[in-house]
Amino acid sequence: MKPIYLTGFMGSGKTTIGSLLGKRLNLPVVDTDHYIEEKYSRKVAEIFSLLGEEVFRSYEASILSELPQQDAVITTGGGMAVSEPNRKYMLENGFVIFLSCPLDTIFERLKEDESRPLFDHEKKREMEKLYDSRLPFYRECHWVLETSGEDPANIVEKIAARLELSDSGQTVEKQ
Ligand SMILES: Nc1ncnc2c1ncn2[C@@H]1O[C@H](COP(=O)(O)OP(=O)(O)OP(=O)(O)O)[C@@H](O)[C@H]1O
Ligand SMILES: O=C(O)C1=C[C@@H](O)[C@@H](O)[C@H](O)C1
Ligand SMILES: [Mg+2]
């Protein structure tokens, strides 16, 4: 089975859902942010502050091909799908699920969380711009799954059900 890539904006639930999905499907899970932190022995926030975003993006691009090529759930950082070559790689080599979530819900989810260098709780307008600019990239995927108002466990069951449908050869709608 091709790897499942979870994409979407910061706070859409990629890491949370991916971890549960891995357990549900009995597949290993690789989180690209964690992989980069291990490989380069620095926290994502440190890479941004010490080396800059461009360096972080080069790390993201270079690690994709090091990740499992099959039987895995890969939870991506929020900016992974913004790069065209990254999107192309994921679309060609795996099954890409965009976890969609309204920005207001994301603000609510991340209100106590300061770990994301690009998420500024005080700058709603800038966050809206970033969010809107990224939507077209996230939408280049195999499935769009709306996550707001859904419990993580339910989302996982929905994904598992859709994967079973596609395994059985039935046509599945993108949205
Ligand atoms: N479906 C959900 N319902 C409620 N809370 C959720 C849901 N999914 C995730 N959360 C919460 O939202 C926060 C962010 O989730 P998570 O870290 O999984 O996002 P992410 O998409 O991996 O973000 P990033 O792109 O920054 O890595 C966490 O506190 C998590 O518990
Ligand atoms: O959306 C983004 O650009 C980011 C999301 C996080 O997962 C991290 O990859 C980093 O904080 C950047
Ligand atoms: Mg994450």
Side-chain angles (χ1 to χ4, degrees):
M1 176 192 183
K2 285 180 172 185
I4 299 157
Y5 294 98
L6 299 184
T7 70
F9 201 69
M10 291 171 269
S12 57
K14 303 176 294 294
T15 301
T16 308
I17 305 301
S19 158
L20 295 171
L21 186 64
K23 289 192 185 98
R24 169 68 171 78
L25 301 178
N26 202 18
L27 292 175
V29 181
V30 183
D31 183 85
T32 62
D33 285 336
H34 294 161
Y35 185 91
I36 288 170
E37 288 182 340
E38 290 292 310
K39 178 169 178 184
Y40 297 96
S41 307
R42 284 192 203 281
K43 291 281 172 202
V44 169
E46 254 184 321
I47 299 171
F48 269 73
S49 64
L50 296 175
L51 307 172
E53 179 172 352
E54 234 176 274
V55 170
F56 179 76
R57 298 304 173 200
S58 73
Y59 290 171
E60 273 188 324
S62 70
I63 60 139
L64 264 184
S65 60
E66 295 172 12
L67 305 180
Q69 308 287 314
Q70 56 183 4
D71 296 329
V73 175
I74 296 174
T75 64
T76 62
M80 181 69 90
V82 173
S83 145
E84 206 266 321
N86 293 353
R87 283 198 306 282
K88 188 167 183 280
Y89 181 90
M90 294 190 290
L91 284 165
E92 283 177 3
N93 292 287
F95 195 76
V96 182
I97 305 176
F98 164 34
L99 298 183
S100 171
C101 186
L103 190 58
D104 283 343
T105 308
I106 287 174
F107 265 89
E108 207 34 54
R109 285 184 188 170
L110 298 185
K111 67 182 174 207
E112 309 290 341
D113 191 332
E114 300 292 343
S115 64
R116 293 164 179 82
L118 289 186
F119 196 87
D120 191 332
H121 302 259
E122 306 305 319
K123 296 197 176 147
K124 186 106 195 264
R125 185 70 202 109
E126 282 187 21
M127 291 300 99
E128 273 166 8
K129 273 198 204 152
L130 184 65
Y131 180 89
D132 290 344
S133 71
R134 285 181 171 187
L135 278 183
F137 303 130
Y138 296 138
R139 285 191 182 126
E140 285 183 34
C141 64
H142 295 111
W143 283 346
V144 182
L145 183 50
E146 181 53 55
T147 70
S148 80
E150 288 275 5
D151 194 60
N154 287 345
I155 296 168
V156 166
E157 285 315 311
K158 278 191 183 174
I159 296 174
R162 285 195 167 202
L163 290 174
E164 275 156 25
L165 271 185
S166 65
D167 269 359
S168 69
Q170 294 189 47
T171 311
V172 184
E173 296 295 324
K174 189 168 175 183
Q175 211 157 353

